Amino acid sequence: MSTAPRSPAGAGQKRAPRRRAAEQDRALAPPAAPDASERDRDVAAALAAWFDRAARDLPWRRTRDPYAIWLSEVMLQQTRVETVIPYYERFLARYPTVFALAAAEIDDVLSLWSGLGYYRRARVLHLAAREVAARHDGALPRDVAALRALPGVGAYTAGAIASIAYEQPVPLVDGNVARVLSRIEGIDDDIRSAAGTRKLWSTAERLVRAAAGSVQPGRFNQALMELGATVCTPRNPRCEACPVLGSCDARAAGREAELPVISPKRDVPAVAMVAAVVRSGDRVLFVRRADGGLFGGLWEPPMVEAKALADARALLEQAGVEPDAPLREVGRVRHILTHRKLDVTVARAEVAAPWRCRAKLAAPYEKAAWLDPGVLDIGVSKLARKVLSAASAPPAARRRR
């Protein structure tokens, strides 16, 4: 028997069916998942293209002025876009530069902010503007660390200024971005936990750096925020309109309604208060709260914690109300804050002539004055305006409140 080796041709004929079968298996198998960098670049490109088509026309998107962008980000914290726009435009018209804001009196700043809420933002913004004027010659720093050294500027605000104004590839995470990233990445950690926060910021940094090669970082970060605000919403997300639908882990697993994971908030305590609206002609007794604390730096009718007018008399006297003021209950106001619910009994008194304001008042008040509520040019909270409205409403309207 011949022991000669088989010819190459014969060997090729034997192996050909096996090779064809392997090629068919490869053709039928699902494609290999792209590596993270390729996926991230695809997400960045799709988001940027969608943002160019779908982004809302908002006034702070028409500028690259770092100061204007900073102002918008501060105003937008916990406040709806449609509420912010008129405040933003009025504020920039009055204080068009950091120097203009730094030179302003805090009462004037708070007056312009009145009604926007979360007044600590205005006080800290004013303080930071003074620091930028004094230490940075009126120009916001480009460096994230230097930005974060300013009063009130945290990681998110620093990331927004650095990326949008200066096109630096730095991340940002706000509520909208956290929701988008938790769904895209399928993050199971509570987004308020330390582990969840680390994952969100790590993902945001990875994506913005992947975007930097072809997409402006500021445009990418704004696209993330816009997607969360208009498409990837907390309830009933419009997944069919999402430009990164194919890259979303939550959608692939049918978990878009489950994510993000957020631990339930603790119950907000209810606080009973009594407010005294004392009027003499066109003027009303106002008191100013000391800086810091609830409604710091704002003016309001005297308000004290008490369940009823009878319980509040002595406290109101310490807040500047004369003991013989003929106060009578005229209505109630409810006001919800993030950390408490205020249930305010509104009392009113008419006096023949304004009395001399006391020099020393009980905390939290530091100053009193008789002012015309029709021409206020001071900072007044939304709660104070509700109280004034309740005190001036006709009896029928008071009963409906």
Side-chain angles (χ1 to χ4, degrees):
M1 181 181 292
S2 170
T3 58
R6 286 176 291 194
S7 68
Q13 290 167 359
K14 291 272 186 181
R15 286 195 295 269
R18 197 175 302 162
R19 187 166 57 242
R20 282 196 297 272
E23 289 170 352
Q24 288 172 349
D25 289 344
R26 285 195 296 272
L28 293 173
D35 61 41
S37 61
E38 181 181 345
R39 174 179 178 266
D40 292 350
R41 287 194 295 270
D42 289 344
V43 167
L47 270 174
W50 169 82
F51 185 71
D52 288 344
R53 297 191 309 270
R56 291 167 294 175
D57 179 23
L58 302 175
W60 44 86
R61 289 181 177 161
R62 304 174 201 145
T63 180
R64 295 286 295 277
D65 176 9
Y67 165 62
I69 290 166
W70 175 33
L71 174 64
S72 73
E73 293 300 339
V74 172
M75 285 188 164
L76 286 164
Q77 292 167 14
Q78 302 183 69
T79 309
R80 297 174 63 86
V81 165
E82 56 269 26
T83 301
V84 166
I85 289 175
Y87 282 91
Y88 171 83
E89 293 175 337
R90 285 195 297 267
F91 203 95
L92 273 185
R94 176 84 67 86
Y95 307 122
T97 66
V98 169
F99 285 121
L101 177 56
E105 294 295 329
I106 187 60
D107 273 349
D108 294 336
V109 174
L110 290 172
S111 173
L112 205 58
W113 203 276
S114 289
L116 193 57
Y118 300 99
Y119 294 92
R120 184 178 181 276
R121 296 178 298 174
R123 294 193 298 274
V124 176
L125 179 72
H126 181 245
L127 180 63
R130 291 191 165 183
E131 188 165 322
V132 172
R135 296 182 55 192
H136 300 283
D137 197 27
L140 281 158
R142 301 173 66 91
D143 178 67
V144 168
L147 285 167
R148 292 201 62 180
L150 296 172
V153 176
Y156 165 77
T157 306
I161 297 167
S163 64
I164 300 171
Y166 295 127
E167 294 299 352
Q168 295 192 50
V170 294
L172 56 75
V173 177
D174 68 352
N176 286 327
V177 172
R179 185 167 56 255
V180 170
L181 296 183
S182 71
R183 287 172 175 165
I184 289 178
E185 294 288 292
I187 295 174
D188 285 313
D189 297 273
D190 183 341
I191 60 172
R192 293 176 179 159
S193 69
T197 299
R198 282 195 300 271
K199 288 181 180 179
L200 289 170
W201 280 93
S202 175
T203 302
E205 182 168 15
R206 193 190 76 226
L207 287 172
V208 76
R209 292 194 178 280
S214 57
V215 177
Q216 293 173 322
R219 183 161 149 251
F220 173 74
N221 280 339
Q222 289 183 90
L224 274 178
M225 293 188 283
E226 186 76 350
L227 188 71
T230 62
V231 174
C232 195
T233 49
R235 288 173 290 279
N236 303 316
R238 299 188 300 115
C239 295
E240 69 286 351
C242 179
V244 293
L245 177 62
S247 300
C248 180
D249 285 358
R251 179 66 173 182
R255 301 184 61 214
E256 59 270 26
E258 300 173 24
L259 297 176
V261 176
I262 304 175
S263 57
K265 292 183 179 179
R266 291 177 295 180
D267 288 339
V268 178
V271 179
M273 303 187 74
V274 174
V277 179
V278 183
R279 181 178 289 275
S280 178
D282 292 334
R283 296 185 178 274
V284 169
L285 177 66
F286 278 83
V287 284
R288 184 184 186 274
R289 287 179 177 255
D291 288 335
L294 183 66
F295 301 131
L298 299 180
W299 293 80
E300 64 190 20
M303 287 188 229
V304 298
E305 286 194 26
K307 292 183 178 179
L309 178 56
D311 303 326
R313 289 279 185 174
L315 295 173
L316 287 171
E317 183 179 352
Q318 296 174 38
V321 179
E322 290 293 297
D324 58 350
L327 288 167
R328 58 186 179 85
E329 184 177 333
V330 295
R332 300 189 66 176
V333 163
R334 290 177 176 83
H335 192 71
I336 299 177
L337 304 171
T338 55
H339 57 298
R340 69 189 74 177
K341 299 175 184 175
L342 305 181
D343 187 354
V344 185
T345 297
V346 180
R348 172 177 170 148
E350 299 278 351
V351 296
W355 56 70
R356 184 183 179 89
C357 293
R358 301 171 70 178
K360 186 172 179 56
L361 304 173
Y365 299 121
E366 63 178 8
K367 186 178 181 181
W370 292 88
L371 305 170
D372 183 347
V375 289
L376 292 176
D377 55 357
I378 54 175
V380 178
S381 70
K382 189 176 291 185
L383 171 59
R385 294 182 186 277
K386 285 183 179 180
V387 167
L388 291 167
S389 177
S392 61
R398 292 177 198 148
R399 287 194 294 270
R400 288 195 297 269
R401 284 180 180 271

